[in-house]
Structure formats: C-alpha cells, structure tokens
Amino acid sequence: MKLNKAITNEIICVLLILLYSYTAFSKSLRYESFVNVLERSPLIGKGAATAGWLLPTVEFSVALLLLFPGTRRYGLYISATLLLLFTGYLIYMVLFAATLPCSCGGVISNMTWKQHIFFNLFFIIINIAAIRSYRHIAIRPSRKPV
C-alpha cells in the first residue's frame, strides 16, 4: 500500500513540477506581455514590474523544491499556498473585475477564466492529497533492536 502511495505522490509531484516549470518559463519568455497584462489588473496594477519577475522566480523555485525528496514536503506546502492564492485571485477577478486581462500562454490561454479556476482546483486537490499521503510514505530512520 505504501508503494502505491509513493508512486501516486511521485506522479503528483511530476505534474506539479511540469505545471510550475511551464508557467514560469511561459511568463519569462513573454515577460513584457506578462507585465503589461499585470498592469491592467485591478489587484496588481502598480506592482506589476515586481510581480513580473517575482512570480516566475517563485514558480521555478517551487518546481526545484518538488524535484528533490529532501525538500519535497516544503514544495508541496508552498505549491498548495500558491495555488490557493492564485485561484482566489481568479475567483475575485471573475466576480468583481470589469475586464479580465489574461497573460496565459499555450494550452491555458485556450481556457475561459472559469475553466482555469476548475483547472486550478484539480491541482489544489491533488496537491492536498500528496501532502496528506506524504506523512504516510516519508522514509523514517530504522530503529535497531536493543
């Protein structure tokens, strides 16, 4: 049973690594466009230049944390926090913003804002599942009999 949880956890971490690497790389490649869109956001506006370099940096960092077993637990917690914050931002924008500026690239750019919320909810659910199962599969030091 622990093997199945370990494999599932690895798959979830790979999916999260791909998500964060893809989004960070996409934002970095289209930096000017990304910052221009952030400037039009009612919540970010004047902080767009800072957010423009901070977000991809944090996303790359989370991908690295998830990559290594020794830092994976921290990566999962930070990932869940980011996903919750970003999903909250998306929900706020859908409910209260007059215009919905979008800087998404690739596959995500083909989604509506509501689809993007459900996309994020999926990743939140699997992220939380990985956190919950992680404590059961974490390698514990063996005790020698006395």
Side-chain angles (χ1 to χ4, degrees):
M1 189 64 140
K2 283 189 179 186
L3 183 61
N4 288 340
K5 284 185 180 183
I7 292 170
T8 301
N9 202 306
E10 288 291 322
I11 292 169
I12 291 170
C13 287
V14 167
L15 289 172
L16 290 167
I17 289 167
L18 290 172
L19 174 69
Y20 285 111
S21 298
Y22 169 77
T23 57
F25 187 69
S26 175
K27 289 171 185 159
S28 298
L29 260 177
R30 300 177 39 227
Y31 176 77
E32 293 297 325
S33 171
F34 177 56
V35 171
N36 287 336
V37 170
L38 290 178
E39 287 172 342
R40 294 189 311 241
S41 170
L43 291 178
I44 299 170
K46 294 182 183 188
T50 302
W53 63 263
L54 184 63
L55 286 172
T57 302
V58 170
E59 289 169 340
F60 276 129
S61 299
V62 171
L64 284 173
L65 288 171
L66 292 168
L67 188 61
F68 301 105
T71 57
R72 190 163 289 153
R73 176 175 264 166
Y74 297 114
L76 287 168
Y77 280 106
I78 295 169
S79 170
T81 302
L82 283 177
L83 284 166
L84 286 166
L85 288 171
F86 187 60
T87 304
Y89 168 78
L90 291 173
I91 291 169
Y92 173 86
M93 291 296 287
V94 167
L95 293 176
F96 301 109
T99 60
L100 299 172
C102 182
S103 65
C104 303
V107 176
I108 297 173
S109 67
N110 295 325
M111 293 182 193
T112 66
W113 279 66
K114 290 179 183 176
Q115 289 169 333
H116 198 159
I117 290 168
F118 286 107
F119 178 82
N120 281 22
L121 289 174
F122 166 76
F123 279 97
I124 290 169
I125 290 166
I126 66 170
N127 198 139
I128 291 170
I131 290 170
R132 291 183 55 124
S133 72
Y134 194 86
R135 65 176 167 223
H136 299 292
I137 61 170
I139 299 170
R140 297 186 178 125
S142 62
R143 295 184 182 174
K144 293 185 180 183
V146 180

